[in-house]
Amino acid sequence: MKSSLRPLSRLLPKGVIRFDPATLQANSSDAWMASSLPEAVAFPRNTTQVSKILAYANRHRIPVTSRGSGRGYVGGCVPVRGGLVLSLVKMNRILEISPQDGIAVVEPGVITAKLASAATRRNLFYPPDPASLKESSIGGNIATNAGGPRCLKYGVTRHYVLGLEVVLQDGTIVRLGGRTHKNRTGFDLVGLFTGSEGMLGIITQATLRLIPLPPARSALLAEFSSISKAAAGVQKILGSGLLPSALEIADPFTLAAARRVIPNAPRANSLLIVEFDGQPASVKAELSLASKLLRPSTSHLKVATGEQACEKLWEIRRGFSYALRDTGLVKLNEDVTVPRGRILDLFCLTSRLQKKYRIPISSFGHAGDGNIHVNLMAPVGTRHDDPKMHRILNDLFRGVLAMGGAISGEHGIGLAKRPWWPDATSSALREIHRKIKKALDPKNLLNPGKYLD
Ligand SMILES: Cc1cc2nc3c(=O)[nH]c(=O)nc-3n(C[C@H](O)[C@H](O)[C@H](O)COP(=O)(O)OP(=O)(O)OC[C@H]3O[C@@H](n4cnc5c(N)ncnc54)[C@H](O)[C@@H]3O)c2cc1C
């Protein structure tokens, strides 16, 4: 394989194709547990180079695994079939921000938080906010259709993708959609490529929708003596006609881990974070109504008014994943989703699993969407193919599917959830996926070895 990749490096500027062991190692894994070395890593600087690389890979039947920041949670960018890792990190320019058209044009390697800040400076708003936003790339966010706390009010990444430039498996460059906010020309191919986990084409440019920056934001942190009181709070808020920009929940294990490393982490059993944004007067009124609704059941209510105070509060929430990692245990992060009315049932299920398998489980996340991060906290040294973990996940996913839920709300299927892909889909649905994959990647060279194989 190496011999068939060496000539490729001679077709491209020096440094684009790298074979050194440190680079191969650094591009062999993501934030999940699997790892596999590629034969080489490509760092293209532009779309033409991506096209050249794919045309070459097509001719020589070389597997190509695309990679953004490598912060995925399902092993999506792990090159399980070797070949070439196509890293988009060097294509990281914000090409345009147009307040007139309400759009940004970006290369895929732009870090999400960088785009969000650049938009804010122009009084514009890019809402998708995965907790990894300081590390993950726009290309990775689009390829996984990433979500975040603000999905409740603003929707997921897909709702902000107006246009894409994609390089297909044989090197053909195609542009989908564009800078208009509506476009009904043909099938929704922008939607098809969004969330396609690098298996249908390489995203080399994106035109993203920006909306006016809400002038005010305020948040509540409500502490509760039990998770059932916190879950009841979710229904109270949404049942009252309020639509917060975020509505997050956290359980006792998560908060105990947070207290070890995050200054100001609450000393509570469970919590809700409820944020509102919009015009100052409406934010004030909505916050006041939410406080009134929660006050009878909460043990403590903290209000954060304005950008800085809210961000300080979100530092606690965004620190949860990192705090769990710092426990030293192995965190198996699942992102299951249940219909919103079943959140308490989901917490009851995880509580039963903790007892049955004698394993700590941390659960927190986007209560307003019914999308909860259920983290199995496994002993040090646990591998992703551990039979006990597999049994626990079997019980978890079956329980979630029985509630009418989904095995992934944000991270995708990738490698991590591949064993449960058949449980979560009908044979007709799997057949449609296979046919689409075959039409766009007949030689199965784009990100092979993942859930469609
Ligand atoms: C601490 C932490 C918190 C997180 N919080 C969230 C969260 O709140 N919400 C959420 O949705 N996710 C979250 N994630 C998961 C992860 O950050 C997202 O899946 C993110 O979108 C991955 O982006 P990336 O640039 O790291 O992509 P990578 O991990 O590099 O790749 C992810 C997938 O996208 C494909 N891909 C990458 N770039 C391209 C491209 N240009 N063209 C085609 N395919 C491509 C890869 O092949 C792979 O299948 C979190 C992860 C961590 C570590």
Side-chain angles (χ1 to χ4, degrees):
M1 182 68 72
K2 213 176 243 181
S3 55
S4 64
L5 274 165
R6 291 273 174 198
L8 174 63
S9 60
R10 291 194 282 276
L11 300 177
L12 293 158
K14 198 163 179 271
V16 172
I17 308 290
R18 303 266 301 264
F19 296 93
D20 60 285
T23 303
L24 302 188
Q25 187 64 46
N27 290 276
S28 61
S29 58
D30 65 359
W32 191 53
M33 311 162 90
S35 159
S36 174
L37 284 180
E39 327 285 338
V41 183
F43 295 97
R45 300 323 200 253
N46 55 49
T47 303
T48 312
Q49 289 179 1
V50 174
S51 167
K52 247 186 200 171
I53 291 166
L54 287 193
Y56 182 93
N58 179 38
R59 282 197 302 281
H60 297 271
R61 290 189 173 263
I62 298 166
V64 177
T65 302
S66 45
R67 180 182 177 92
S69 298
R71 301 314 294 150
Y73 263 146
V74 293
C77 64
V78 177
V80 276
R81 295 277 157 81
L84 190 69
V85 162
L86 181 56
S87 168
L88 282 309
V89 290
K90 305 274 186 198
M91 290 177 66
N92 58 5
R93 288 173 305 158
I94 297 176
L95 301 173
E96 182 189 354
I97 290 187
S98 164
Q100 289 77 16
D101 291 347
I103 56 132
V105 182
V106 299
E107 292 184 329
V110 169
I111 298 298
T112 313
K114 236 177 137 180
L115 170 65
S117 313
T120 303
R121 285 196 293 277
R122 310 291 295 270
N123 220 18
L124 292 165
F125 189 30
Y126 179 69
D129 60 340
S132 56
L133 85 175
K134 287 187 180 154
E135 303 175 294
S136 61
S137 70
I138 290 290
N141 288 180
I142 295 172
T144 57
N145 194 10
R150 285 200 283 253
C151 286
L152 175 62
K153 181 171 175 183
Y154 291 103
V156 292
T157 299
R158 167 67 188 101
H159 299 115
Y160 296 86
V161 187
L162 298 174
L164 289 177
E165 179 187 76
V166 177
V167 182
L168 302 178
Q169 178 249 308
D170 64 355
T172 305
I173 301 168
V174 59
R175 294 188 79 91
L176 315 165
R179 57 197 292 140
T180 60
H181 286 241
K182 284 181 174 170
N183 189 336
R184 270 293 301 110
T185 319
F187 291 158
D188 178 13
L189 294 185
V190 171
L192 179 67
F193 281 92
T194 305
S196 63
E197 299 189 32
M199 292 191 284
L200 301 181
I202 311 295
I203 296 154
T204 47
Q205 197 184 96
T207 305
L208 301 169
R209 180 162 79 103
L210 301 178
I211 59 176
L213 186 68
R217 67 189 277 216
S218 289
L220 282 177
L221 190 151
E223 299 181 4
F224 297 91
S225 56
S226 70
I227 196 74
S228 56
K229 284 187 181 166
V234 174
Q235 294 300 340
K236 272 190 206 163
I237 298 279
L238 294 167
S240 70
L242 290 170
L243 181 58
S245 49
L247 180 41
E248 299 282 300
I249 196 165
D251 77 346
F253 188 93
T254 310
L255 293 176
R259 280 194 290 275
R260 269 180 237 127
V261 287
I262 306 173
N264 311 327
R267 318 220 124 262
N269 172 289
S270 305
L271 69 71
L272 284 183
I273 296 177
V274 194
E275 179 169 308
F276 297 95
D277 65 5
Q279 296 301 320
S282 62
V283 169
K284 199 171 164 200
E286 287 171 289
L287 198 79
S288 151
L289 176 54
S291 309
K292 211 166 127 190
L293 290 165
L294 294 180
R295 193 158 284 123
S297 53
T298 181
S299 50
H300 185 67
L301 252 185
K302 187 175 159 188
V303 173
T305 310
E307 183 66 25
Q308 260 186 356
C310 284
E311 276 307 305
K312 216 163 168 172
L313 208 153
W314 280 103
E315 267 169 29
I316 300 175
R317 162 64 183 87
R318 292 196 188 113
F320 287 167
S321 284
Y322 299 97
L324 291 171
R325 190 190 56 194
D326 289 352
T327 59
L329 297 168
V330 174
K331 176 163 85 81
L332 273 174
N333 178 352
E334 304 306 328
D335 61 322
V336 294
T337 307
V338 293
R340 201 165 58 211
R342 306 296 299 267
I343 291 176
L344 190 55
D345 294 333
L346 177 59
F347 279 103
C348 291
L349 170 63
T350 57
S351 160
R352 284 198 300 278
L353 294 178
Q354 295 197 54
K355 283 186 199 121
K356 179 173 169 188
Y357 291 102
R358 296 173 186 278
I359 182 173
I361 297 182
S362 140
S363 302
F364 67 91
H366 320 306
D369 299 320
N371 178 204
I372 304 295
H373 294 287
V374 174
N375 300 281
L376 310 188
M377 302 303 292
V380 182
T382 303
R383 285 171 42 93
H384 66 85
D385 48 4
D386 184 283
K388 180 176 169 187
M389 296 307 130
H390 191 90
R391 283 199 300 278
I392 304 173
L393 291 179
N394 255 339
D395 283 7
L396 173 67
F397 292 144
R398 286 203 183 125
V400 163
L401 291 170
M403 288 180 214
I407 63 173
S408 172
E410 292 189 328
H411 303 155
I413 305 295
L415 269 184
K417 296 195 181 68
R418 189 183 142 148
W420 296 278
W421 167 244
D423 294 336
T425 49
S426 67
S427 61
L429 189 66
R430 291 194 294 281
E431 188 53 22
I432 293 174
H433 276 74
R434 271 194 293 268
K435 282 181 177 160
I436 293 173
K437 172 75 170 162
K438 192 132 187 101
L440 288 167
D441 180 16
K443 294 180 185 168
N444 191 23
L445 296 177
L446 294 182
N447 208 350
K450 304 293 155 47
Y451 67 94
L452 290 184
D453 280 13

